[in-house]
Structure formats: C-alpha cells, structure tokens
Amino acid sequence: MKRLTVLFLLFLQYNLTAQNTSYYEKPPVFSVCDTIVMEKLEACFDSQVFKLIQDNFKLPQTVINDDYKGEVVVLFEVDTMGIFKIVYLDAIYESLKAEMKRVFSLFPKVKPATYNGRPTFKQYSIAIKIPLENQFKSELKSKTREITKLEQQAKQEYDEVNKSISSYKPQAYSSQLNIPFTHGDYSKFGRQMNMVGTNSHTASKPYVYQEVSGYYDFQAEKDKLKQTRQTWFGRKLWNEHLVQLQSHEFWFTLDPIFDLQVGKDTDADFNSTYNNTRGILVQGGLGKKFNFYTSVFESQGRFARYVNAYAESLKAFGPDPAIIPGRGIAKRFKSNSYDYPVAEAYLSYTPAKFINIQFGHSKNFIGDGYRSLLLSDVASPHPFLKLNTKFWKIKYTNTWLWLRDVRPEVTEDGAFLTKYMANHYLSWNVSKRLNLGFFESVVWTNSNNRGFDVNYLNPVIFYRAIEFETGQDAGNAILGATGKYKWNDNINIYGQFILDEFALSDIKGGEKSWRNKFGYQIGAKYYDAFNVDNLMLQFEYNRVRPYTYSHNTISTNYGHNNQSMAHLWGANFSEAILIGRYHLNRWFANTKLIYGVRGLDFNTDIDSYSYGGDIYRNYNDRPFDKGVKIGQGIRTNTFNGNLQIGYLVNPESNLKLFTEVTFRNFNPDATTETTFKNDTVWFSFGLRTDLFNWYFDF
C-alpha cells in the first residue's frame, strides 16, 4: 500500500528542473543563489538540495551490511518562513528514515518561495537512490503540476482586480452622473458656465459632471478644501467617501445620508421642530458610458406650523394625513409628527458623445432662475425618461414623466390616478452672448384606457398638433420660451415666458379676459459682485396670471401629488426675489428675501368660486370672464426671509453643518378657516447631506 501511495505522489509531480519559471512565481532561494538570474533559480535550488544531501547523508551500517539497493522517497516543503519540513517519508529501513530526518534538520533557512510577490508554501518530492553514487540520476519534482500561460493569467485575475481597487481616484467628476441640484452649490460654478463666449447650455438641470467639467475643475476645487487627516476615521469624516472602490472597469462609492435638525417656531404651540433623516447614497459607473445612482431616505419630522398646515392641505386620498412638500406622502408619527420615506434613483447611459439617456425616479428643472415657470423641482420625485442631445450650438432635452393625481375625486377603486407629461426643450446659443430656448409640454391622463399615448414618444413632433388630433380636451398643452443675455463675464440677464392660452381679441380690447393665461419671469445674476470673489447676487421677478396651468378636465392640470410642476404658488401671483450667496473655503452663507402678492380662494359656502390660484380647480368655476387680474380673490401679501450660515464638513458627500433663521409674514385681506394672518420666526440648526432643494417659501 505504501508503494502505491508513493507511486501516486510521484505521478502527480513534474521534474522541478524542467518547470517553466513564471513571472509571478519564484522558488525558494539559498543564499548562494541570490545573484543568480530568475531563469536559473530553479536549477540552483535543485543542485543545492542534492549537494546538502550528498555532503551530510551517512548510510546506516545495517543497510551497508545487507548490501541494500533501493530508494528513499521524501516529500518535503519549504514554508513561508523559508524552513524545510519533511511531510512524508517512505523507506524499508527505519534507520534510513531517521538519517534522512537528520540530514533535513541541517538544511539552512532560505528565502521562501513567492507568488505575485507574497511568501507562499512550496512542496517537492524526491526519490533518493541507495547507494548514493547513483543519486544524481534522480529527479527533484515539484508537487504542483506545470500550468499553461492562460491558466497563469487566470490565477492572477483576482489579484489584479484587487490591486486596481486598492488605489482610488475620483471618476465621478468626468462621469455621466447628475450633479445633485441645489441652488447654492450650482452657484459655485455659475460664473464659469456663463462667461461670454462659452457654448454651454444652463437651463436644463440637473447638469451631468462631464458637461460641467469642461468649465469647472471639480478635483482642483476639492483638493483646495482637503484637510490633513492621518486616521481612517478622520479621512472618512472630512475628505473621503465612506466606501470607495475602483478598477479599470468600474467605480463605486457609498455614503450615509443625514438630515438631522432641531429648531423652534415662535408661532407654534409645540415645543420644537425637528427632522430626523437617515439614509444611504450609492453611485458608480460601469465602463465609461454607464452610470447609476440611488438614494434611500427614512425620515421623521415636525416642521414650522405653517409648513405642517400646508403639508396637511396637500393630503392624499386615504388615511395618510399629509404630503411633505417636495418629498412625498407622509404617515402620522406619534401625535404631531410625520413619517415620510423617499427613494430616488436613475440610470445614465451615453451611447454616443452627443446624447445622454436617463431613466429614473427623481426631479428635473428648466430655467436659469430660482423659480421655474416651465418645469420645476418643487413637487415630489416621480418616474421619468430623459434624452439630452447636444450638437453644434444646440441642446435638445426630451422628458417624459409619469405623475399622480392623489385627490379623492379622481381615485378609482382606491388607486391614485396616473397621468403623463411630455416635454420638449430646445436651447440655442444664438451668439456668444445670447441664448434662446423653446419649450413645449402636454399633460394627459389614462382616461378611456388611453394609457401612455405613443404619439408623444416622438421626440421632434409638435404637441399642439397631437392635441388637436386626439381631441382638445384630451390633453393640456403649454408653450414656453426662455432667454439669457450675458452682459459680461460676471452679469447675465435671464427670463421665461409661459403661455397656456390666450385670445388676441381680448388682449386688444383691454378687457383682461380669463382666457389670457400666461406668465413671465425676468431676472439677473451678478457673480463676484463688487469685486468680491465668490459673492453672487440675484434678483428675480415672477408674474403668472390666474387660471394658468389649470384645465377644464381637472386631472390634466399641471401638477403632481397635489403640488405644482412649475411655480410652487400655482398661479394668480406676482413675486420679487433677492438672493445673496457667498462661500469662502468650507464656510458658506446664503440669504433670501421674497415679497409677493397672491390671490387665494375663499372656499366657503357663500363664495366657492375659483379665483385662479389653485391649479387643481376647474377653470370653469370662475366667478367672471372679464376683468381678471392678479391678486383677485383673497389678496394676500407674503414676505419670506431666510438667512443660513454653515460649514462644509465633507466635500465628497456634501455633508454640511448649518444654522438658519426664517421669518415669514402672511397677511391676507380677508380671513377664513384656512386663511388668516400669520407671523413666523423659525430657528433651526443641524447636519445635512445636501442633495436637493428644500422650498419652505410658500
């Protein structure tokens, strides 16, 4: 049986001296072999093993007396410390085994074998013939069989991937990922994208990193903010993503999300306000053309009194008490708070240099201002498909949206009504200074099992023509235009115009018909204002006539989840905004002043008419056809002021420490159960991963 075992072991071995030397493998090295070239190290190892055995082996007397002719089979290894150890011995005489153990105990310590530069075990077998004078005809054999070149490459695959992951270099800044859209962060590179002579397109947001990286060096700016931290915890807190992996084929980052706030509303009867958001953010890329992003939020909160009241006025059908503005449907948490989970995600694919395709669940924005009268991010996240095509002086954005109407009167069998929106926006750089944009949108519902109308999938068709073909009441089409003029490198003037419906005869007659449903925006931005680096000042005026965005089929209004898809005030308002933003290193400060006039509905048994501010109401419920003007109904003067000061904790995850104060004066000229004079001072401070815009100025 022992003979069979030995033969089996020998069968598995190949001649060590004939083994091809691999670039990744190196045999054990005796000190006398240190200067030998790599290709001859195996032969040197063989000869030294045989020499040590020949110099030290003494044939036992009993073997000499018996005139024995045979062999001693030895299976040995050199461990990771370079020490020789006998694993198995086979011989007829116990004295031969003992002598062989003694000889191997005299072997010096050597440099261990290495695999890909790391110490490793190496096993060999040798058959020593007795008597010794025939020994050098024996062969020393490695236990591991010779492998092919392809197998050798396969053995290195994991180590190569692991090696490439070990050194992370940011790739997000050249990727097709969206830059999280916050007005404050976008102002940091606003000047670079709006300098005279650039061929940038700034209205369609959010931007992708690759687009902006041609004007703004993200990595250089982040390097300026980097702090010297030696510990792992210090680097992760102040400079790096929590998890960051990379190879030549992919990159991946993971970060926690926090929005932890506490505050005090002087107008509220509860003790404090708070927000407790925890979540996770994952983003990455596969190859150069495909990127992904997902964020999951779990939140509980109680806000200022006027915010809570507005959230509950948006209540959806069913038991849930509120919709948190811009976030989504909320459940009751404890007695006077809300629980509102939110998830956002998208895939971004760039099959060719001139086109980017995104599919996800998030928000979009069109415009250069703080507000948008075309498409805004004030409503809850929603599914979308977007194509951005850029060539010559043109950028063409197609967006298809899946929206919800959650009111009781439009639900069917307890399910919310699905409606759809399709948008075209063409941005054209007419000259080095002038940009013009043209916008078209249509909203339709699933009435008569219509579903998603494939007519609107055509990215270059005019929606008005489709609306006439399918019936004028089958959809709500809106037209718009934008413009921007670069006065110089630091100042640009921008504007928007939205047209829902108009009657030229009524305009000429000066009768202010209800049919003249339009709005406009005019604004200006001043970068590095008064020669102060990183100071941006902005002025904006918005004005929208009553009944704009509404429809006679109330489910085809321009809204989602009881919120407007354009300006958060709906319609029937005028508004002036003054904004200042400043940052220095990691410190930042933002201030915002908003004054507006709004026209609200009475919503009483005596007066239940629609005065044009609530876009969810049927415009046929109007009290009159002529003399329609902004502020009709309950004329309400509104002032919102906000000051925020903060510190950027981690530039990679955009984690910010901040404190802010909000002052709001709401002054209607008539009082109802839901509309009354209100003054609010709201203090708060917290720690936030800043990924989206919060709008509390309603």
Side-chain angles (χ1 to χ4, degrees):
M1 185 65 185
K2 288 184 178 179
R3 293 288 182 182
L4 291 174
T5 303
V6 171
L7 289 173
F8 177 72
L9 291 171
L10 291 175
F11 177 75
L12 292 176
Q13 313 307 315
Y14 278 86
N15 191 322
L16 177 91
T17 58
Q19 181 175 335
N20 291 330
T21 302
S22 166
Y23 175 79
Y24 296 100
E25 288 187 292
K26 188 176 181 181
V29 180
F30 286 91
S31 59
V32 296
C33 301
D34 264 344
T35 58
I36 302 297
V37 295
M38 182 69 179
E39 290 77 7
K40 296 183 178 181
L41 282 178
E42 289 282 8
C44 186
F45 177 78
D46 292 354
S47 65
Q48 288 302 309
V49 169
F50 286 124
K51 185 176 185 303
L52 285 168
I53 294 175
Q54 184 181 30
D55 292 347
N56 295 285
F57 189 85
K58 296 179 180 180
L59 200 62
Q61 190 61 45
T62 55
V63 177
I64 297 174
N65 293 341
D66 292 344
D67 194 23
Y68 173 73
K69 292 182 177 58
E71 63 182 14
V72 179
V73 176
V74 184
L75 180 65
F76 68 92
E77 72 178 15
V78 183
D79 66 15
T80 56
M81 301 298 293
I83 298 173
F84 287 81
K85 295 180 180 179
I86 291 179
V87 178
Y88 175 79
L89 273 171
D90 184 57
I92 294 178
Y93 294 90
E94 290 297 326
S95 57
L96 283 174
K97 294 180 181 180
E99 177 60 16
M100 192 58 67
K101 290 180 181 179
R102 185 190 69 80
V103 170
F104 268 81
S105 70
L106 300 175
F107 276 31
K109 184 177 179 180
V110 298
K111 292 182 180 179
T114 58
Y115 180 78
N116 203 19
R118 299 171 182 162
T120 186
F121 288 87
K122 192 76 171 177
Q123 289 190 350
Y124 302 92
S125 67
I126 184 172
I128 303 170
K129 294 185 178 180
I130 304 299
L132 282 179
E133 50 266 29
N134 299 322
Q135 177 60 40
F136 289 106
K137 295 180 181 178
S138 302
E139 297 176 343
L140 186 63
K141 303 174 183 179
S142 169
K143 183 178 180 182
T144 305
R145 73 172 178 86
E146 183 179 0
I147 62 176
T148 67
K149 183 177 180 180
L150 186 61
E151 289 174 328
Q152 185 63 56
Q153 291 174 351
K155 286 168 65 67
Q156 311 307 314
E157 185 176 15
Y158 179 85
D159 289 328
E160 288 299 314
V161 170
N162 194 53
K163 180 180 178 182
S164 65
I165 287 176
S166 62
S167 55
Y168 177 80
K169 296 181 180 179
Q171 295 191 26
Y173 307 140
S174 59
S175 73
Q176 298 296 328
L177 280 178
N178 292 334
I179 305 171
F181 177 41
T182 65
H183 292 292
D185 288 334
Y186 272 45
S187 69
K188 293 179 180 179
F189 45 79
R191 179 182 183 274
Q192 288 84 342
M193 294 194 68
N194 284 284
M195 295 177 67
V196 176
T198 61
N199 191 32
S200 63
H201 300 268
T202 58
S204 181
K205 299 180 176 75
Y207 308 142
V208 297
Y209 278 104
Q210 186 182 61
E211 182 180 9
V212 180
S213 62
Y215 308 98
Y216 182 81
D217 192 337
F218 288 96
Q219 188 58 59
E221 295 301 320
K222 295 289 177 69
D223 288 343
K224 291 178 184 178
L225 303 178
K226 183 171 287 189
Q227 298 186 1
T228 303
R229 301 288 173 173
Q230 301 299 327
T231 65
W232 179 90
F233 179 79
R235 296 196 310 273
K236 297 302 177 182
L237 176 62
W238 299 101
N239 296 322
E240 298 179 0
H241 297 286
L242 179 63
V243 177
Q244 49 190 31
L245 302 175
Q246 172 186 305
S247 77
H248 64 284
E249 295 179 337
F250 82 98
W251 66 273
F252 168 91
T253 66
L254 182 149
D255 290 291
I257 294 172
F258 300 106
D259 191 351
L260 310 175
Q261 303 180 40
V262 294
K264 176 63 179 176
D265 173 15
T266 59
D267 184 52
D269 54 3
F270 43 78
N271 292 328
S272 63
T273 64
Y274 74 93
N275 191 62
N276 177 19
T277 294
R278 299 86 56 215
I280 188 170
L281 168 62
V282 178
Q283 55 187 346
L286 301 175
K288 299 296 184 182
K289 297 182 177 181
F290 182 80
N291 293 100
F292 57 89
Y293 173 103
T294 183
S295 57
V296 181
F297 304 78
E298 175 61 32
S299 305
Q300 295 81 39
R302 180 175 62 235
F303 308 96
R305 180 185 176 190
Y306 78 92
V307 178
N308 297 338
Y310 181 65
E312 297 197 10
S313 74
L314 301 176
K315 180 184 184 302
F317 171 77
D320 298 317
I323 293 178
I324 304 302
R327 305 311 291 150
I329 295 176
K331 300 181 292 185
R332 178 67 67 192
F333 179 71
K334 297 184 177 180
S335 60
N336 57 1
S337 301
Y338 308 101
D339 187 323
Y340 58 104
V342 181
E344 298 189 49
Y346 64 88
L347 305 175
S348 180
Y349 177 58
T350 305
K353 183 178 180 180
F354 59 86
I355 189 169
N356 173 253
I357 305 169
Q358 293 189 6
F359 176 69
H361 186 270
S362 189
K363 306 180 186 182
N364 292 276
F365 187 99
I366 293 178
D368 286 291
Y370 176 70
R371 310 288 200 194
S372 175
L373 307 184
L374 307 181
L375 180 67
S376 185
D377 61 339
V378 302
S380 309
H382 42 266
F384 72 92
L385 173 65
K386 180 166 69 173
L387 275 65
N388 270 317
T389 307
K390 185 178 179 182
F391 61 96
W392 189 52
K393 304 175 184 179
I394 299 293
K395 183 176 182 180
Y396 189 42
T397 302
N398 302 98
T399 314
W400 295 271
L401 312 174
W402 285 257
L403 309 177
R404 289 280 191 266
D405 195 322
V406 298
R407 294 170 295 162
E409 55 266 37
V410 297
T411 56
E412 295 183 4
D413 299 324
F416 299 140
L417 175 70
T418 299
K419 61 182 184 179
Y420 311 95
M421 178 185 291
N423 301 323
H424 295 162
Y425 177 68
L426 188 146
S427 174
W428 173 33
N429 286 325
V430 181
S431 69
K432 293 181 179 181
R433 297 178 183 269
L434 178 63
N435 172 273
L436 296 177
F438 306 94
F439 177 78
E440 185 182 24
S441 178
V442 64
V443 180
W444 75 98
T445 66
N446 194 27
S447 59
N448 299 321
N449 295 319
R450 183 183 180 190
F452 191 94
D453 194 331
V454 295
N455 288 293
Y456 295 118
L457 282 175
N458 191 324
V460 294
I461 203 167
F462 289 102
Y463 292 147
R464 278 290 185 182
I466 296 297
E467 184 189 20
F468 278 107
E469 286 185 5
T470 56
Q472 295 190 43
D473 291 336
N476 182 13
I478 291 176
L479 300 176
T482 66
K484 181 178 66 178
Y485 183 78
K486 304 171 187 177
W487 188 270
N488 55 39
D489 287 347
N490 292 339
I491 299 175
N492 64 76
I493 302 168
Y494 61 89
Q496 290 186 346
F497 180 77
I498 184 75
L499 179 62
D500 191 351
E501 184 180 355
F502 77 102
L504 184 60
S505 59
D506 291 341
I507 293 178
K508 290 181 177 179
E511 295 178 333
K512 298 183 178 179
S513 169
W514 73 276
R515 295 175 60 191
N516 295 325
K517 298 184 290 182
F518 61 87
Y520 63 87
Q521 174 189 89
I522 185 72
K525 293 181 180 179
Y526 183 13
Y527 296 100
D528 292 346
F530 307 112
N531 295 320
V532 178
D533 291 345
N534 305 322
L535 173 64
M536 191 278 285
L537 299 179
Q538 180 179 3
F539 172 79
E540 182 173 305
Y541 179 76
N542 298 292
R543 187 178 182 89
V544 178
R545 280 183 53 78
Y547 307 109
T548 307
Y549 307 114
S550 60
H551 202 246
N552 59 3
T553 304
I554 59 174
S555 56
T556 54
N557 57 67
Y558 207 70
H560 164 64
N561 269 8
N562 289 342
Q563 301 155 88
S564 171
M565 289 296 291
H567 197 291
L568 80 171
W569 287 2
N572 192 12
F573 70 86
S574 62
E575 171 194 49
I577 305 173
L578 183 63
I579 295 173
R581 304 188 189 278
Y582 177 72
H583 67 274
L584 177 64
N585 300 323
R586 294 197 180 205
W587 292 95
F588 65 90
N590 299 310
T591 185
K592 179 173 55 183
L593 303 174
I594 300 174
Y595 175 77
V597 175
R598 307 169 62 180
L600 305 178
D601 296 339
F602 288 90
N603 291 325
T604 64
D605 293 336
I606 299 175
D607 189 342
S608 59
Y609 292 113
S610 169
Y611 286 90
D614 185 353
I615 67 171
Y616 277 83
R617 297 196 62 178
N618 189 327
Y619 56 55
N620 288 329
D621 294 337
R622 60 189 179 274
F624 36 77
D625 293 341
K626 307 296 183 181
V628 173
K629 60 182 180 180
I630 290 175
Q632 66 181 21
I634 302 178
R635 184 181 178 87
T636 304
N637 295 323
T638 302
F639 175 79
N640 277 277
N642 177 269
L643 173 63
Q644 182 185 85
I645 299 173
Y647 181 79
L648 180 59
V649 178
N650 189 323
E652 293 294 349
S653 63
N654 215 22
L655 182 65
K656 298 177 180 178
L657 187 68
F658 69 94
T659 183
E660 65 180 328
V661 57
T662 298
F663 174 74
R664 177 180 185 264
N665 175 260
F666 188 78
N667 188 15
D669 63 5
T671 299
T672 69
E673 184 177 348
T674 57
T675 303
F676 48 86
K677 182 176 174 58
N678 173 248
D679 288 315
T680 299
V681 179
W682 182 16
F683 299 94
S684 62
F685 68 92
L687 183 70
R688 172 192 297 158
T689 305
D690 204 6
L691 301 176
F692 56 87
N693 291 308
W694 272 111
Y695 295 100
F696 292 130
D697 40 30
F698 33 78

